[in-house]
Amino acid sequence: MTMTIGRATERRLRPTGYLALRAGRGSLLLHRRTFAVVTALVPVLLAAALASLCLGESTVPPAEAVRSVLGLTDEHDFLIGVLRLPRLTVALLVGAALAVAGALIQTVARNPLASPDIIGVSHGAAAFAVAAMTFGWASASELPYWAVGGGLLAAGLVYLFAWRRGLHAARFVLVGIGFAIALRSVTQLFLTKGDHTVAQQALVWMTGSFNGRGYAEAQPLAWALLLLLPAVCWAARAQRTVALDDDTATALGIRLNATRVGLATVGVLLAALATGTAGPVDFVALLSPQIARRLTRTAQIPLLATALVGALLTVLADLVARTLFAPTELPAGVVTAAVGAPCLLWLIINNRTGGRA
């Protein structure tokens, strides 16, 4: 028997704050505030990207920068097409990947203070990449693969040591912090054993920099993100089940631990790929999900809004790093660390006082 629901009944059944989109026999519920935030973030991100293309040692008028990107003029081919646009592309991809990785790991850990750089994933990726650099095991183009291996190994060890008949969120974070400290020491050991010049390059890489990054680094990251897109779409839906408590999920027949492992694996892969591309850009993965959640006021972290916030933070950080002390250039990771450290303290204080996180 087919039941037809009138529009008045549909409006009554629709959850408060949601917008129903219908196309034929299909329909989709959109959170109104999240839709508005995403719609507002897109032009802000485009404006930041345009500023990144225009500003630097040489300033390019916005109209000329747009014409150069569209291929309508070759006057600024080297400045825009060779130097700034490839670097901007890497910053956008790295920021989005780190932000989504942070959202997934915070969801699994049920802790807003958990992120790839806090629980050791980024440090595991960095340790393997620095070892490959200082001991000459890999070329620059092969660093992302070493970073992925290191990130996966670190995440696997954290998960293994945190497991006690299930994954307890607080234990997961504490074990991760311990591994992060240990891996940072291992990385320092690798630096002391390597060639002095290579060690200096590795130190710059470890601060998270987009200097010299281009399409050669952006292309493999873009392909990896494209391959992981179905997994990220699955993760956006799976977040709702992970938010349930263990007893409720078990009663509903949900394989909670398997879902957590799946979400954590996607998050670790994204974080390791981003770290291998630009080095550990601290605090982007930690702050982006919390900013997006506070903007949208949703129970779960919205992944699309989080990705846009992460991309915006990295683009702005790179722009500030390039222009603040020009012609001297800072690594973008220095800027994110300077801004992120006070924000981390605010998050800790907010949690202690029972604020929403």
Side-chain angles (χ1 to χ4, degrees):
M1 182 177 69
T2 302
M3 181 179 293
T4 303
I5 301 177
R7 292 193 177 277
T9 306
E10 180 188 288
R11 281 196 294 271
R12 286 197 298 272
L13 294 175
R14 191 170 61 215
T16 304
Y18 280 80
L19 177 69
L21 298 180
R22 301 178 66 86
R25 301 181 62 181
S27 63
L28 179 66
L29 280 178
L30 285 179
H31 188 257
R32 286 179 185 271
R33 189 176 177 89
T34 301
F35 181 73
V37 168
V38 168
T39 304
L41 280 173
V42 170
V44 173
L45 179 58
L46 289 176
L50 182 59
S52 180
L53 291 176
C54 295
L55 300 177
E57 286 190 59
S58 300
T59 302
V60 178
E64 289 297 310
V66 173
R67 284 169 55 82
S68 181
V69 171
L70 296 177
L72 301 177
T73 177
D74 56 2
E75 187 179 352
H76 306 287
D77 263 2
F78 180 73
L79 192 60
I80 300 292
V82 176
L83 295 180
R84 294 182 184 173
L85 184 58
R87 177 174 178 151
L88 171 66
T89 305
V90 176
L92 288 168
L93 294 175
V94 167
L98 283 176
V100 175
L104 296 181
I105 290 177
Q106 288 179 8
T107 299
V108 172
R110 296 180 181 178
N111 192 323
L113 301 179
S115 72
D117 39 347
I118 297 293
I119 66 168
V121 175
S122 297
H123 292 287
F128 266 53
V130 169
M133 290 174 69
T134 53
F135 297 122
W137 295 341
S139 62
S141 61
E142 295 170 336
L143 286 182
Y145 305 108
W146 283 83
V148 170
L152 285 175
L153 180 61
L157 290 173
V158 171
Y159 200 91
L160 181 66
F161 280 87
W163 180 273
R164 291 289 186 278
R165 298 178 181 177
L167 188 63
H168 190 273
R171 188 165 54 237
F172 181 70
V173 174
L174 289 175
V175 172
I177 291 173
F179 267 89
I181 295 172
L183 287 168
R184 190 182 295 121
S185 301
V186 170
T187 304
Q188 296 296 327
L189 178 63
F190 288 154
L191 289 174
T192 60
K193 296 295 183 183
D195 176 76
H196 178 72
T197 303
V198 178
Q200 289 295 326
Q201 295 172 352
L203 277 173
V204 173
W205 180 85
M206 286 174 60
T207 55
S209 175
F210 298 105
N211 186 21
R213 303 298 191 277
Y215 290 134
E217 289 79 18
Q219 193 171 13
L221 180 58
W223 278 111
L225 295 181
L226 192 61
L227 290 174
L228 285 172
L229 187 59
V232 173
C233 292
W234 164 82
R237 292 179 59 85
Q239 279 183 307
R240 301 171 187 170
T241 59
V242 174
L244 300 172
D245 62 85
D246 292 5
D247 294 336
T248 304
T250 304
L252 293 174
I254 296 171
R255 300 175 63 189
L256 196 56
N257 284 324
T259 305
R260 285 173 176 165
V261 171
L263 290 175
T265 302
V266 176
V268 168
L269 283 172
L270 289 172
L273 285 166
T275 303
T277 301
V281 185
D282 290 336
F283 292 107
V284 174
L286 175 73
L287 297 180
S288 300
Q290 296 308 310
I291 294 173
R293 190 174 178 180
R294 281 164 170 78
L295 288 175
T296 58
R297 299 178 185 172
T298 51
Q300 282 83 42
I301 300 172
L303 295 189
L304 179 56
T306 299
L308 291 173
V309 171
L312 179 61
L313 289 180
T314 50
V315 169
L316 291 177
D318 187 46
L319 177 60
V320 171
R322 281 196 298 112
T323 58
L324 187 61
F325 298 106
T328 302
E329 185 173 314
L330 298 174
V334 172
V335 178
T336 58
V339 176
C343 292
L344 175 62
L345 291 175
W346 177 80
L347 274 176
I348 294 173
I349 294 170
N350 189 257
N351 278 350
R352 283 181 176 177
T353 55
R356 187 183 177 191

